Amino acid sequence: MLFACFAFGAGAQSLDQAKKLYNDGSYEEAKPAFERLVSQSPNNSSYNLWYGVCCYETDDWETAEKYLLIARSRKVAEASRYLANIYTVQYRFEEAAEMWESYIEQMQKKKENTEAFEQRLALVEKLQRMKEKTEDVQVIDSLVVDREQLLSVYFLNEDCGRLETYGAHFESSETLATTVYINPKGDQAYYARPSENGRYALYTHSRLMDAWADEKPVFPSDTAENNYPFVLGDGLTLYFASTGNGSIGGYDLFVTRYNIHNASYLAPEQLGMPFNSPANDYLMVIDEVRGTGWFASDRNQPEGKVCLYLFIPDESRKRIEGSEDDERLRQRAMLSAIRETWAGDRDYAAQIQSARTPPASTEKAGKKDFELVINDRITYYTWNDFRSGEAKSFYEKAAGLKKQAASVAGKLEEARGLYAEGNTSVRDRLSTSIRQAEKEWESLIRQASEWEKRARNTECAQLKNN
């Protein structure tokens, strides 16, 4: 009786109920029932497949592999397809290729169209070749942030240019999933926006007098989606992200150089692993002053999150030595443990701290918008110094109130002058308005001080979190 209550209690499901949940995509709910069924009938090929797929869809890949292998040994074709996906995520590309070959063979016997699966096979074969050429890059730090806050952790030395949001650069309320790079001179900008085919394309324009104009496409004949540009100090080397040009998954990182002889860019070169992955990889930025670089990736991240990787640029781009050690190569290609990429006992603390610290803004003529002391080490002089959008909006309110206070102060000074020179009737008339203006000025200054304090505290919290 106890067993019966356990097996058929409120949480239990019949096979038909479990299959319905499975077919509806409710794998988490169907999973317990198939776990019970496969434990009762461990040789049942369907139960092994269904339970394995439920584990796969709920990211329990180790368990999924175990049961899918059983299903595959019993000639269940779909098991090979799911195993191929698991092995791809785990960078076991040779095994993934074997699974795709097996699946394609079974589909061909059934006279099914295998074109899409042959493309997947070609992709994992390309991934395997890329893994074998994994670069020996030193990735010294990583930081997970909300995707919308990504620019708040890119602290680029001003001699390397600056990054802005599309809305800030174009003074627009339009929100686009892109960034704008502006060169150190401040007279050339690179950005992406949707083109006529709806895909993002790269453009550049120049600052002429006080306006940006002369927009030109970077790749006039390229119909792929290209985004997130950055240009090195030579003004010729362009890094960008693309979903085309042979991408291995989502956005991939590419580099190209401007050919001054024919005024066009060379064919883009795809970066290798670990910079690129089957996930989205983008926004490669290199700070040549500090000797560090960043790139962003959503590999192994939940929706809305992105991981920022800090690395040491190496022009030689040498590959991992001893590539015959496949497990070591796999871990380095995946960036599963960044500590394993470090060079011996080298201490990167200073470089990490430097990369996480906003550069001190210079006091060059024309560059100071204001002066806001953030803490003992950091003072902001321009709006681009802010890393927190909320802090920036708070200080904009403070600046607006200060501007109003300055206007009231000017009028107050004029009224006081008239009061000093006026007769009794003039003084009687002005005294009330002067007192009101004084109260208004004091209120505006008090409010401005409060908003400035909120901006400072919010910015400090952002810097601390970073």
Side-chain angles (χ1 to χ4, degrees):
M1 179 65 71
L2 180 62
F3 173 78
C5 291
F6 174 79
F8 299 103
Q13 300 158 349
S14 68
L15 174 58
D16 288 341
Q17 290 172 326
K19 287 172 64 176
K20 185 178 186 308
L21 289 169
Y22 179 95
N23 292 329
D24 291 341
S26 301
Y27 301 105
E28 189 71 55
E29 291 82 353
K31 187 175 177 180
F34 287 125
E35 182 179 17
R36 173 174 53 84
L37 289 166
V38 80
S39 66
Q40 294 171 356
S41 303
N43 295 320
N44 186 295
S45 58
S46 295
Y47 293 169
N48 278 281
L49 173 69
W50 294 331
Y51 181 53
V53 171
C54 286
C55 293
Y56 167 85
E57 295 290 353
T58 53
D59 295 334
D60 183 2
W61 294 330
E62 183 177 353
T63 305
E65 180 184 6
K66 174 184 175 180
Y67 288 91
L68 289 170
L69 282 171
I70 295 173
R72 181 174 182 269
S73 69
R74 285 159 175 72
K75 310 300 181 184
V76 181
E78 286 300 296
S80 295
R81 180 165 68 90
Y82 281 97
L83 285 166
N85 291 334
I86 291 174
Y87 295 151
T88 300
V89 172
Q90 296 176 336
Y91 282 49
R92 297 159 62 183
F93 302 125
E94 286 185 322
E95 294 171 85
E98 181 184 343
M99 292 300 108
W100 282 123
E101 288 170 352
S102 174
Y103 186 68
I104 290 169
E105 182 181 354
Q106 291 172 298
M107 291 298 100
Q108 287 174 340
K109 289 179 179 178
K110 296 179 180 180
K111 307 299 183 183
E112 298 284 348
N113 186 340
T114 60
E115 181 180 358
F117 309 122
E118 288 171 4
Q119 292 175 356
R120 298 295 298 273
L121 172 60
L123 174 61
V124 294
E125 290 174 339
K126 179 178 181 179
L127 289 168
Q128 175 61 21
R129 293 192 296 272
M130 289 183 68
K131 188 178 78 170
E132 293 170 352
K133 300 177 182 178
T134 298
E135 293 184 28
D136 189 12
V137 60
Q138 299 166 54
V139 180
I140 62 176
D141 197 18
S142 63
L143 182 67
V144 176
V145 298
D146 291 335
R147 193 178 186 281
E148 292 76 12
Q149 297 296 319
L150 184 58
L151 283 188
S152 70
V153 289
Y154 273 81
F155 295 141
L156 186 63
N157 188 285
E158 63 180 9
D159 290 333
C160 300
R162 69 180 189 271
L163 295 168
E164 292 183 350
T165 64
Y166 185 91
H169 179 71
F170 288 95
E171 298 180 350
S172 167
S173 60
E174 187 175 10
T175 301
L176 296 180
T178 184
T179 54
V180 179
Y181 169 74
I182 302 171
N183 69 352
K185 291 183 178 180
D187 60 1
Q188 194 78 22
Y190 299 79
Y191 54 93
R193 63 170 177 78
S195 59
E196 294 179 357
N197 63 13
R199 299 187 181 94
Y200 279 81
L202 296 182
Y203 295 88
T204 180
H205 63 183
S206 305
R207 190 170 184 84
L208 306 174
M209 301 298 288
D210 293 327
W212 290 96
D214 194 27
E215 182 183 71
K216 297 177 181 178
V218 173
F219 304 119
S221 60
D222 191 351
T223 59
E225 174 149 322
N226 301 317
N227 207 337
Y228 302 103
F230 175 80
V231 179
L232 286 183
D234 60 11
L236 304 174
T237 305
L238 169 67
Y239 288 93
F240 67 100
S242 177
T243 61
N245 297 294
S247 165
I248 59 174
Y251 277 120
D252 271 12
L253 289 162
F254 291 83
V255 63
T256 181
R257 282 180 60 83
Y258 187 74
N259 187 336
I260 59 176
H261 299 296
N262 61 14
S264 65
Y265 283 90
L266 301 174
E269 177 188 358
Q270 186 177 31
L271 299 189
M273 294 179 181
F275 296 111
N276 281 322
S277 73
N280 288 298
D281 306 288
Y282 55 100
L283 199 53
M284 171 76 80
V285 171
I286 295 178
D287 190 321
E288 295 172 280
V289 175
R290 290 169 165 169
T292 51
W294 302 264
F295 70 96
S297 178
D298 61 14
R299 65 186 79 177
N300 305 318
Q301 297 302 318
E303 185 71 25
K305 294 288 186 178
V306 62
C307 185
L308 181 67
Y309 292 97
L310 179 69
F311 69 98
I312 306 296
D314 183 359
E315 292 183 4
S316 68
R317 297 173 63 180
K318 61 182 179 181
R319 300 176 186 173
I320 300 290
E321 295 180 0
S323 59
E324 67 278 358
D325 184 352
D326 188 69
E327 181 57 25
R328 176 172 176 266
L329 193 61
R330 186 175 76 90
Q331 296 296 334
R332 291 291 299 273
M334 290 181 69
L335 276 182
S336 58
I338 64 173
R339 182 64 180 81
E340 296 301 318
T341 73
W342 294 9
D345 296 327
R346 181 174 172 182
D347 185 2
Y348 298 101
Q351 286 168 297
I352 294 173
Q353 180 61 36
S354 175
R356 287 194 172 196
T357 303
S361 298
T362 64
E363 298 187 30
K364 297 177 182 178
K367 292 199 69 174
K368 287 181 63 174
D369 298 323
F370 52 80
E371 183 172 328
L372 173 64
V373 176
I374 299 297
N375 56 37
D376 293 339
R377 297 179 296 105
I378 300 173
T379 300
Y380 287 175
Y381 299 99
T382 70
W383 294 108
N384 290 326
D385 292 335
F386 280 100
R387 297 300 159 182
S388 166
E390 187 177 27
K392 181 179 179 181
S393 68
F394 289 163
Y395 194 69
E396 285 173 344
K397 292 180 180 179
L401 289 165
K402 287 181 179 180
K403 187 175 181 180
Q404 293 180 47
S407 177
V408 171
K411 294 177 181 178
L412 184 58
E413 187 66 24
E414 182 181 354
R416 284 171 175 165
L418 294 173
Y419 181 89
E421 298 174 358
N423 56 30
T424 302
S425 67
V426 171
R427 291 185 176 186
D428 290 341
R429 179 170 54 82
L430 289 175
S431 60
T432 300
S433 60
I434 288 175
R435 285 195 298 271
Q436 290 176 341
E438 289 174 339
K439 290 181 180 180
E440 182 181 1
W441 179 84
E442 290 173 355
S443 175
L444 290 168
I445 290 298
R446 184 173 60 256
Q447 292 179 63
S449 178
E450 291 172 355
W451 282 110
E452 182 174 311
K453 182 178 179 181
R454 291 182 67 181
R456 181 181 296 107
N457 291 341
T458 303
E459 186 69 9
C460 284
Q462 177 72 47
L463 295 175
K464 183 179 180 181
N465 290 336
N466 291 345

